[in-house]
Amino acid sequence: MACLLEAPLRISVLSEVTATSRHYVDRLFDPDPQKVLQGVIDMKNAVIGNNKQKANLIVLGAVPRLLYLLQQSSSSPELRTECAVVLGSLAMGTENNIKSLVDCHIIPALLQGLLCPDLIFIEACLRCLRTVFISPVTPVQLLYTDPTVIPHLMSLLSRSQRTQEYITQIFSHCCKTPEHQTVLFSHGAIQNIAPLLIYHSYKVRMQALKCFSVLAYENTQVSMTLVNVLVEGELLSQVFVRMMQRDQPIEMQLTAAKCLTYMCRAGAIRTDDSCVVLKVRLSADLFTLIIVGASLSNVAPSSPTQALPCLVRMCSKEHLLEERVEGAETLAYLMEPDVELQRIASTTDHLVAMLADYFKYPSSVSAINDIKRLDHDLKHAHELRQAAFKLYASLGSNDEDIRKKITETENMMDRIVSGLSESSIKVRLAAVRCLHSLSRSVQQLRTSFHDHAVWKPLMKLLQNAPDEVLVMASSTLCNLLLEFSPSKEPILESGVIELLCGLTQSDSPALRVNGIWALMNMAFQADQKVKVEIVRSLGTEQLFRLLSDPDSNVLMKTLGLLRNLLSTRTHIDQIMSSHGKQIMQAVTLILEAEHSIEVKEQTLCILANIADGNAAKELIMTNDDMLQKIKHYMGHSNVKLQLAATFCISNLIWNEEDVQAVVNSDCAHKGSQERQDKLREMGFVDVLHKLTQASDPNLCDRAKTAMQQYLA
C-alpha cells in the first residue's frame, strides 16, 4: 500500500505529478532485476536537489517498493545499497517527506539491514538512518524499541570511518532523556567512543565530542566516569581542554566547553579546577586580556584555555550569532550555582557590555544593505535576547555588585520590562528569570524596580501564562511583596490576593508554594484588614487543606503564613476566636505525625504566638493533651524544638498581660497566677529548672527567663 502525505499537500502534489515520475515508480516493478537496478539508479539521479520530484515519488508509492527491495535477500547487494541511497535522498527533502518515510516503517527496515555483512550496504543504511534521525519530526524512541539495536551499533563502530561518523551522529541526536543516557552508557558508549576523540577525521572527532556532550548533561554517573577515562594515556578532561584551543574550529571549542561545563555541574570537576577557570588569581585587566586573546609574554599562544574564558570569548561580536547564543547559554549554566565563577566572569565590565549588544538585532543597517542578513538577524533576534537574559540572570543571582552593574547597563530595566511582554514564550521566561535574579537585591527592589514599576507587567504576565512562566513570575512576586519593598503597597491595591489564593489550588507544587509564600510575605507585619482579607479569600477549608499538603515546602510556607497571621495580640485573639478550634486541631495533627524538625519547630512557634494572645492562650491552657505535647518537646533531643516549646511556656506564664484586654491588672495577675499554678502541677517548673543547666546558651537563657516569672 502506498505511503501518502497529508490530504491537503497530497492534492497539491498530485496535480503536478508527471509521466516521468510515474515511469520511475513503474520501473521498480520490472521483472528484470537489472532493469530494476537501473531504474533505482536513474531515480537517485532524478531526485538529487529536487524536492518536488521527491514528493511526487513518495505520493506515487515509491517508498514501500524501495523498502521491499531493500529487505529482500534475493536482491543483489548493489540494488539494496542503491535503494538505501535513494531513501536517504528522499529523507533530505521536507519534514513531510520524513514523516511519510517514518510512517512507512523505514527505521525498522534500515535497522534490520544493519545485520547484513556487506559494509557498503551497512554504510548506506546508516547514512539514511542518520538523515532520518537528525530531523526534529522523527521520534527518537524508535532507536530504543528493540534492545538489540544499541549493542549492535556499538559493534559496528569499528567497521569504518563512515560507520563511526554516522553512528556517533545518530547517538548524539537520539540521546534526549536520562533513560537514553543510561542505555548508551550501559552498552559501553564511553569506552567505544572515547578513542574517536583523537581520530584523524575531523567529522568523526566532532560527532564523538557531541556524543559526550549529550551523555554528560545532568548525569552524575556518566560525568564521574568520564573524569577518570584515559585516551592514550591522557585524561579525557585534558583532551577536551586541547579541543578548546583557539586554533581549533569554533564548533569544537564550544562543544568541548559544554562537555566540561556539564561535568562540572554534575560534580565530577571542581569549579576551581584548572580546566574550568584559571587557578592563579588575576587582576581584572589581565583576565580581560586573556579572554579577548591578547598576546601576553607569559602566556604562550598554544597554551590551553579553560571552559569559562572560552565561553566568555564566544559571546563577543567576532562570532556568528548562533555561536554567541550557544556560548552565552552554556556560560549561564556553568555559573548558575557558583558565586565565585560569577564574580570571575564579571571581573571586568566587558561581559556585561557584550551582552548589551545582544539586544541590538536586527539592526537598521541589516534592513538597508542586506535582505539575507536581515532575515538571519530576525531569525536569531529572539534567541539572542533569550540568551542574554539567561546569562544576566545567572551573573546576578548572588552578588550585589554584579546586580548593580547589570541594572546600570544601557536601558537594561526597560529591556527586561519589554521582554516580559514579548511574543516568544522563551524570551518572556528568560526575562522573568532575569527579573527574579535581580529581585533578590534589597537595593534594586527599592530603586530600579520601583522607578520602572516592574510590578505592573509582572502582574499582567501572571494573568495568563504557561506554568513554567507562572512559576518564575510568582517567585519574583514573592520578593516584591517583602516588607521593605516599595512595590508591596501598589501590588496589594491591585487585587493580588485573589490571584495568589488561586495559585494555592494549582496542581503544580511549585505554584502552590509560591502562592502561599507570597501570601506569607504579604501577611508579615500587615494591618488587620489585610490579614482578614487573606483569611477570607483563602478560606479556612483551603488553609487547612494546605496544612495537610503532601509537599513539605507547601506545608512549611503555610505554617509560615499562619505564624505571620497570628502576630500582634489583637490579631491573634480575633483569628483564634473565629478559627481557633480548627487551628488547634491542625497543630495537634502535625505534632503527632511524622514530620521534619523544621516543620515541627514552625508549628511550635505558632503555638508560642497563640500563647501570646490575651484570650487565645486559654485554648492551650484548657487543652491538657496539648500541654503534654509541649512538655514532651521541651525534653526533646533537638535544641530547636526545645527552644520553641520553652518559648511557648514562657508566653503562657508571662504575668504582664495587655491591660486593655482585661478589666483590671488584678485580674491579669490572677490569670497568670492560675496558669503558673497549673503548669507547676503538671511538672513544667521541674523541666524548666533542668533546662537552666542546658549546654546550649540560648536554651539556658530562655529557661531562666521563664523561671523568673515564678519569682516575680
Side-chain angles (χ1 to χ4, degrees):
M1 180 176 167
C3 177
L4 302 178
L5 297 174
E6 296 174 0
L9 182 60
R10 185 169 69 247
I11 294 170
S12 172
V13 173
L14 279 173
S15 65
E16 301 178 15
V17 172
T18 64
T20 305
S21 298
R22 293 185 186 277
H23 175 64
Y24 286 125
V25 177
D26 291 342
R27 291 171 68 187
L28 299 179
F29 293 88
D30 196 291
D32 185 344
Q34 280 303 117
K35 290 184 178 179
V36 173
L37 174 60
Q38 190 57 50
V40 174
I41 293 172
D42 291 343
M43 183 182 289
K44 175 183 69 175
N45 295 329
V47 298
I48 294 174
N50 191 334
N51 281 344
K52 184 184 291 185
Q53 186 72 278
K54 292 174 184 178
N56 288 348
L57 292 171
I58 290 174
V59 169
L60 290 170
V63 175
R65 183 60 181 171
L66 288 168
L67 288 173
Y68 173 79
L69 295 171
L70 181 143
Q71 294 177 88
Q72 292 303 300
S73 57
S74 58
S75 296
S76 67
E78 187 179 3
L79 175 58
R80 299 175 76 186
T81 300
E82 291 294 343
C83 286
V85 171
V86 174
L87 289 166
S89 185
L90 294 177
M92 290 181 183
T94 65
E95 288 186 353
N96 278 316
N97 289 5
I98 294 286
K99 290 177 183 177
S100 298
L101 292 171
V102 172
D103 289 344
C104 288
H105 308 293
I106 187 176
I107 292 175
L110 291 170
L111 290 174
Q112 187 66 28
L114 299 180
L115 298 175
C116 175
D118 185 82
L119 179 58
I120 296 176
F121 177 56
I122 288 173
E123 290 175 347
C125 288
L126 285 171
R127 185 165 54 248
C128 184
L129 280 167
R130 181 271 312 268
T131 305
V132 172
F133 273 121
I134 64 176
S135 169
V137 301
T138 303
V140 298
Q141 193 58 37
L142 293 173
L143 185 67
Y144 303 92
T145 304
D146 183 345
T148 66
V149 167
I150 299 300
H152 185 61
L153 287 171
M154 293 292 179
S155 70
L156 293 174
L157 269 172
S158 60
R159 292 291 299 273
S160 72
Q161 179 178 317
R162 289 193 178 96
T163 63
Q164 291 167 345
E165 179 188 341
Y166 301 150
I167 291 172
T168 50
Q169 194 168 3
I170 289 169
F171 286 163
S172 66
H173 277 85
C174 293
C175 186
K176 303 290 188 184
T177 69
E179 291 74 26
H180 297 161
Q181 291 172 323
T182 300
V183 171
L184 293 173
F185 176 78
S186 62
H187 285 101
I190 292 177
Q191 51 266 47
N192 282 297
I193 297 173
L196 304 183
L197 289 171
I198 56 173
Y199 197 72
H200 62 82
S201 164
Y202 172 77
K203 288 183 178 180
V204 171
R205 292 202 308 276
M206 195 61 237
Q207 294 307 326
L209 188 59
K210 287 181 178 179
C211 273
F212 284 118
S213 172
V214 296
L215 281 168
Y217 181 66
E218 293 187 347
N219 193 307
T220 301
Q221 183 185 27
V222 171
S223 295
M224 288 295 187
T225 303
L226 289 179
V227 81
N228 295 313
V229 170
L230 292 175
V231 181
E232 290 197 351
E234 186 178 25
L235 283 172
L236 193 60
S237 58
Q238 292 307 308
V239 175
F240 293 151
V241 167
R242 283 195 291 102
M243 288 177 158
M244 290 190 299
Q245 288 181 359
R246 293 176 181 85
D247 59 349
Q248 297 296 330
I250 298 300
E251 179 188 31
M252 179 168 282
Q253 291 184 49
L254 258 175
T255 310
K258 287 170 76 171
C259 289
L260 290 169
T261 293
Y262 299 156
M263 290 168 69
C264 182
R265 284 298 307 269
I269 298 175
R270 290 168 54 96
T271 56
D272 62 352
D273 192 281
S274 59
C275 65
V276 175
V277 70
L278 292 169
K279 274 196 169 182
V280 293
R281 191 163 187 84
L282 300 174
S283 67
D285 291 338
L286 182 56
F287 181 73
T288 303
L289 286 169
I290 291 175
I291 287 176
V292 300
S295 59
L296 300 173
S297 59
N298 60 339
V299 180
S302 61
S303 62
T305 186
Q306 295 78 24
L308 189 142
C310 174
L311 292 169
V312 172
R313 198 168 62 245
M314 294 300 156
C315 298
S316 66
K317 281 184 178 182
E318 289 75 37
H319 295 287
L320 299 174
L321 299 187
E322 45 268 58
E323 293 166 355
R324 296 176 74 186
V325 168
E326 192 171 358
E329 292 193 339
T330 307
L331 181 58
Y333 183 68
L334 172 64
M335 296 188 305
E336 191 174 24
D338 192 273
V339 63
E340 192 56 34
L341 289 183
Q342 293 157 14
R343 288 170 179 159
I344 291 172
S346 63
T347 302
T348 70
D349 289 332
H350 286 138
L351 178 58
V352 176
M354 277 194 286
L355 290 178
D357 186 65
Y358 279 45
F359 296 94
K360 298 177 181 178
Y361 293 89
S363 65
S364 55
V365 177
S366 303
I368 295 170
N369 296 340
D370 190 341
I371 296 299
K372 286 186 176 180
R373 180 182 166 189
L374 174 61
D375 183 61
H376 179 264
D377 288 2
L378 283 169
K379 181 181 178 182
H380 291 285
H382 288 308
E383 295 175 0
L384 283 163
R385 290 195 292 276
Q386 177 190 344
F389 282 137
K390 281 184 178 178
L391 187 43
Y392 276 136
S394 184
L395 276 168
S397 57
N398 291 289
D399 191 279
E400 189 65 29
D401 291 336
I402 299 175
R403 293 186 189 118
K404 189 171 184 292
K405 283 182 183 178
I406 292 170
T407 55
E408 290 176 352
T409 303
E410 178 188 359
N411 301 323
M412 191 60 218
M413 292 306 296
D414 290 333
R415 285 167 175 159
I416 295 174
V417 169
S418 176
L420 295 176
S421 57
E422 283 225 17
S423 58
S424 167
I425 290 177
K426 290 182 177 180
V427 175
R428 291 207 303 273
L429 178 59
V432 78
R433 281 187 189 280
C434 184
L435 193 67
H436 177 255
S437 180
L438 298 175
S439 73
R440 293 171 177 163
S441 164
V442 175
Q443 181 185 2
Q444 298 309 321
L445 285 174
R446 287 175 171 167
T447 55
S448 301
F449 277 58
H450 181 60
D451 296 341
H452 291 82
V454 297
W455 67 269
K456 291 181 179 179
L458 189 66
M459 287 293 293
K460 186 177 180 181
L461 191 63
L462 282 163
Q463 304 299 325
N464 182 27
D467 275 6
E468 59 179 346
V469 177
L470 277 179
V471 168
M472 194 53 59
S474 56
S475 187
T476 307
L477 188 66
C478 289
N479 292 342
L480 267 67
L481 286 168
L482 288 166
E483 187 265 339
F484 48 77
S485 168
S487 302
K488 182 174 182 178
E489 285 304 317
I491 292 174
L492 276 171
E493 293 168 4
S494 71
V496 72
I497 293 177
E498 290 287 347
L499 185 150
L500 295 174
C501 290
L503 290 182
T504 68
Q505 300 179 40
S506 170
D507 291 335
S508 164
L511 284 176
R512 292 201 303 277
V513 167
N514 288 347
I516 204 72
W517 196 340
L519 290 170
M520 181 188 80
N521 288 350
M522 190 184 299
F524 181 72
Q525 295 185 354
D527 296 337
Q528 189 167 345
K529 178 183 176 182
V530 173
K531 292 182 178 180
V532 169
E533 180 62 20
I534 291 173
V535 175
R536 185 199 65 77
S537 298
L538 190 60
T540 52
E541 285 189 17
Q542 177 62 7
L543 178 62
F544 298 120
R545 194 178 296 119
L546 291 167
L547 285 172
S548 58
D549 196 284
D551 189 285
S552 60
N553 291 322
V554 174
L555 174 56
M556 277 295 288
K557 297 306 174 190
T558 307
L559 291 170
L561 168 63
L562 200 53
R563 186 176 174 183
N564 286 349
L565 290 172
L566 294 169
S567 62
T568 308
R569 286 176 180 169
T570 54
H571 300 175
I572 294 169
D573 287 338
Q574 182 185 19
I575 292 173
M576 292 304 292
S577 66
S578 304
H579 310 291
K581 183 179 179 181
Q582 299 99 314
I583 290 174
M584 293 301 288
Q585 286 176 345
V587 166
T588 300
L589 289 172
I590 292 171
L591 291 178
E592 289 179 348
E594 291 293 325
H595 285 295
S596 66
I597 296 296
E598 290 74 22
V599 166
K600 294 200 172 185
E601 179 191 16
Q602 190 81 299
T603 306
L604 288 168
C605 288
I606 289 171
L607 270 181
N609 282 13
I610 294 171
D612 193 42
N614 291 319
K617 57 167 52 80
E618 290 305 316
L619 289 167
I620 300 176
M621 289 304 304
T622 56
N623 188 334
D624 287 358
D625 179 58
M626 183 61 73
L627 289 171
Q628 289 294 346
K629 284 181 171 57
I630 295 171
K631 184 179 177 183
H632 164 74
Y633 284 107
M634 288 175 72
H636 199 276
S637 58
N638 186 277
V639 173
K640 290 182 178 180
L641 297 184
Q642 287 181 293
L643 267 169
T646 304
F647 188 45
C648 183
I649 291 301
S650 181
N651 282 348
L652 287 175
I653 63 178
W654 201 258
N655 60 18
E656 294 180 6
E657 301 187 15
D658 187 349
V659 295
Q660 295 180 355
V662 193
V663 177
N664 56 58
S665 59
D666 291 335
C667 292
H669 180 73
K670 181 180 178 183
S672 64
Q673 187 62 52
E674 289 177 353
R675 291 194 299 277
Q676 289 179 11
D677 291 344
K678 179 174 181 177
L679 293 173
R680 187 193 300 273
E681 291 173 8
M682 293 183 69
F684 278 91
V685 174
D686 293 336
V687 177
L688 285 171
H689 182 72
K690 184 178 179 181
L691 291 178
T692 59
Q693 308 300 316
S695 58
D696 183 86
N698 293 325
L699 180 58
C700 178
D701 289 346
R702 174 56 59 188
K704 287 178 179 178
T705 301
M707 284 294 292
Q708 287 171 3
Q709 294 303 305
Y710 279 97
L711 304 175

